Amino acid sequence: MCNENGEKEMNLHSNSQYPLFKYLSEEFAGSFYQNELTCLNRMLILYHNRLSFSIDDDTSGFLDEFAQYLEKPVTYWWIPAPKRVHINALRTRIAFVLKNNPQIFRNLLSRPDYSSSEAKQQTIKDIHQWLPTLNEETDMTIDVKDWQRDLSARFSQFLHEAKQAKEKKISRKPAFEHFYQILKGKDQAEKQGKFGRLVDILLREQWITGSEKPEIYQFRNSGTGGRLQLAALYYTLNKQGHIDRQLPAPQVAGLFNSWLSYDISRESFVKAFQTEQLDTFNCSPNRPRHKYVTECRLLLRDL
């Protein structure tokens, strides 16, 4: 069974050791040093055999021993010189990680599925992400940028997928984190200024009061009309052209949460900003909801 990079998969979690003859033939041929993934395979074969079949199951010093082994160059005379150079360069790189960030390999060995493709690919991703963080104080025995380029070329498929997943995760971050950001204004300062005036108006009219949390205000109306009062405020702000971005009800409710504390259930509060609910404020003067809009129009006349 082969993975997407063409290397043979190991079924380490079995009741048998990796065949000794096969291991030795691959070792002496240099097959374990094609790339970082095959080198990880070699390490995991040794780790699995010790974990499963050693007398005392002592794996505490395994990584230290592996690092010491890698520091010694391969000198097999039957392997062509260019291949020996490649093998020793790879060994030096892995030894570099073991010396400067062994936690990457500890994380791999601590996983129940340490032999899986996902575990090994994650280890390579961790190395690839760690290399750019190195500073000048690190004892550089390798060319970090050159190694990073090699990793990107060899494992472009899953490294690219990891980057896309990370970017997708970042893109899920809300575009707006505070209410002032959806107010109309030529720049952030103007938007913040308008929001400041809105807060001053609400404080003056005793809709809100200060709270123990900085920049969070307490909505004073805890009665049944409080939800309609805030919905009418948003509706009027929108109708008067103060709202620059139209957002779904849950996001609008979330932006109110960025500056306002209130005693209204979350489900009821979100519902108040749904389009069909806001449309009910567009009613005749004899309708009960019209009084909320009238009050807000007077409130916002100087905004």
Side-chain angles (χ1 to χ4, degrees), residues 27-184:
E27 173 72 11
F28 291 133
S31 301
F32 284 126
Y33 301 102
Q34 297 175 33
N35 54 49
E36 289 76 8
L37 198 54
T38 56
C39 194
L40 284 180
N41 282 342
R42 183 190 186 282
M43 182 186 78
L44 292 173
I45 289 169
L46 298 175
Y47 177 76
H48 177 74
N49 287 348
R50 177 180 293 192
L51 183 66
S52 302
F53 298 99
S54 62
I55 295 173
D56 55 5
D57 292 339
D58 179 21
T59 58
S60 59
F62 175 78
L63 289 178
D64 291 336
E65 294 173 17
F66 191 64
Q68 292 173 8
Y69 169 76
L70 291 176
E71 289 174 357
K72 301 176 182 178
V74 167
T75 57
Y76 303 146
W77 58 266
W78 57 86
I79 295 178
K83 188 173 181 179
R84 286 203 307 271
V85 170
H86 172 78
I87 289 173
N88 289 323
L90 182 60
R91 287 164 64 96
T92 300
R93 287 174 171 180
I94 299 299
F96 176 82
V97 182
L98 283 165
K99 177 183 177 181
N100 293 283
N101 193 356
Q103 190 60 44
I104 288 179
F105 292 100
R106 293 193 192 111
N107 292 341
L108 170 62
L109 300 183
S110 67
R111 292 179 58 147
D113 64 338
Y114 56 80
S115 66
S116 67
S117 294
E118 292 77 8
K120 290 179 284 188
Q121 288 179 10
Q122 184 59 54
T123 301
I124 292 173
K125 292 174 191 175
D126 291 343
I127 294 173
H128 185 261
Q129 293 170 2
W130 169 66
L131 291 176
T133 69
L134 297 176
N135 54 45
E136 295 179 355
E137 298 177 0
T138 307
D139 181 17
M140 297 296 187
T141 55
I142 61 167
D143 186 328
V144 171
K145 292 184 179 179
D146 189 47
W147 190 13
Q148 200 175 7
R149 283 193 295 267
D150 286 347
L151 287 173
S152 297
R154 289 172 187 163
F155 307 106
S156 59
Q157 183 172 346
F158 69 76
L159 288 177
H160 181 65
E161 289 173 353
K163 182 179 179 181
Q164 285 183 323
K166 184 178 180 180
E167 291 173 349
K168 186 176 181 181
K169 185 177 181 180
I170 293 174
S171 68
R172 290 176 183 171
K173 183 179 179 181
F176 306 102
E177 298 180 343
H178 196 281
F179 189 83
Y180 79 82
Q181 293 175 304
I182 64 169
L183 296 178
K184 189 164 290 185

